[in-house]
Amino acid sequence: MNADLTVRTPRLPHGGETVTGSELEINPGGKSSNQAAAAALLGADVALVAQVGADAHGDLLLEEARRAGVDVDRVGRLSGVATGTAMIAVDDAGENFIIISPGANGRMAVHHVHEHAELFDQAGLLCLCLEVGQDVVLAAAQQAARRGVPVLLNLSPSAPVPDELLRATEVLLVNEHELADLAGSAVPLDQAAETLAGKGIRRAVITLGAEGALVIDGDHSERVAGVRVEAVDTTGCGDAFTGALAHRLVEGDDLVAAARVAVRVAGIAATKPGAQRSYPTADELTAGPED
């Protein structure tokens, strides 16, 4: 869970360069928080396990998560530790760069997973990213796998991960850069299924930005087209995709159908500033762009 500190500027600076930006905006963010909000706004029953600081940013994140419909009863509050933050610059084309300060996210521990183990008895799916320690991520994935709960792993921010985590993963979600990092080199899309199968991954979604996604489900691969929108801010669009994908999988969609919905949700999110506040409800999705 991060507070997104965003400044808009006509173009992103080069190394060593200073540019002038807009007034500072403070919005709710953080990959898991975003993904939870995206799923909840679409109607999913979502519980979030996380840590925030006992500060104003923590207050903001909890208030906004509740507003989206997320159960935050298991979010801890830490004194003397800042809530995680993301420093974000967004240019006129909607592109961004982001620097994360983990703060309270870095205090997530394996015992937090075990303390809330009852969630795994009720869950239809566990959604994970890499903005907390990998020991925590692995513990949660293994807990879910032991109880028959599918694991959706968003391999972001990109980092090397142990084979045990991949073995516990039911669906892997990566972009092209994260796929290349996982494979050790750039991977042509027509070789992605074979590359991932070599690592034991048989079900995956590779996001392609405005071009949509490539879905790999066993021996079947299929491109899902993107939606045509005028992008305002792409911050959090990947998380909107992830949350929507998780929701639709729990609702019983196959991976391709779930990805089609997720592409539309991400497209709508790109048309508004910020992350969570740009995400559509189920009604807004129905009225949103089709392709």
Side-chain angles (χ1 to χ4, degrees):
M1 300 185 77
N2 288 328
D4 286 352
L5 311 182
T6 302
V7 173
R8 302 179 187 281
T9 183
R11 60 177 180 81
L12 300 178
H14 303 297
E17 182 185 18
T18 299
V19 298
T20 299
S22 66
E23 294 292 326
L24 177 69
E25 300 172 16
I26 303 176
N27 293 305
K31 296 195 70 65
S32 292
S33 184
N34 288 346
Q35 292 162 14
L41 285 165
L42 293 172
D45 182 5
V46 185
L48 183 61
V49 179
Q51 297 289 312
V52 296
D55 54 21
H57 287 164
D59 293 340
L60 169 70
L61 292 174
L62 292 173
E63 178 184 349
E64 291 292 332
R66 291 189 188 100
R67 184 175 298 164
V70 177
D71 177 351
V72 292
D73 288 348
R74 298 162 188 84
V75 176
R77 305 211 64 176
L78 302 176
S79 298
V81 179
T83 295
T85 54
M87 276 78 50
I88 305 170
V90 182
D91 69 12
D92 284 347
E95 291 300 320
N96 63 64
F97 69 68
I98 304 173
I99 301 172
I100 299 293
S101 175
N105 296 304
R107 302 296 182 93
M108 276 287 292
V110 171
H111 70 81
H112 294 122
V113 175
H114 298 317
E115 286 170 5
H116 304 301
E118 83 283 354
L119 286 175
F120 295 95
D121 294 326
Q122 309 165 34
L125 183 141
L126 172 67
C127 196
L128 294 169
C129 69
L130 300 181
E131 283 191 342
V132 298
Q134 284 201 26
D135 58 338
V136 181
V137 175
L138 179 59
Q142 291 178 331
Q143 181 93 254
R146 283 195 296 270
R147 300 191 188 201
V149 178
V151 174
L152 170 60
L153 174 62
N154 179 205
L155 202 63
S156 178
S158 185
V161 292
D163 290 342
E164 303 98 290
L165 180 56
L166 296 179
R167 284 196 294 270
T169 297
E170 174 71 18
V171 177
L172 183 70
L173 177 60
V174 292
N175 62 26
E176 291 180 276
H177 301 296
E178 292 152 0
L179 174 63
D181 289 345
L182 179 64
S185 61
V187 178
L189 289 178
D190 61 0
Q191 297 177 23
E194 181 181 358
T195 298
L196 290 172
K199 293 185 173 295
I201 298 293
R202 299 282 296 166
R203 304 185 75 205
V205 178
I206 301 166
T207 57
L208 306 171
E211 299 304 312
L214 173 66
V215 177
I216 298 167
D217 198 351
D219 294 328
H220 176 70
S221 295
E222 185 171 334
R223 285 287 292 265
V224 173
V227 296
R228 294 186 296 273
V229 299
E230 185 173 342
V232 171
D233 183 358
T234 58
T235 303
C237 289
D239 297 330
F241 184 103
T242 306
L245 186 77
H247 169 54
R248 293 313 312 170
L249 289 174
V250 171
E251 289 297 303
D253 285 2
D254 62 37
L255 200 52
V256 171
R260 288 197 182 106
V261 175
V263 162
R264 291 180 58 216
V265 170
I268 293 170
T271 65
K272 303 175 186 177
Q276 293 177 31
R277 292 172 180 170
S278 71
Y279 296 167
T281 63
D283 288 342
E284 290 168 337
L285 175 63
T286 301
E290 294 291 337
D291 55 35

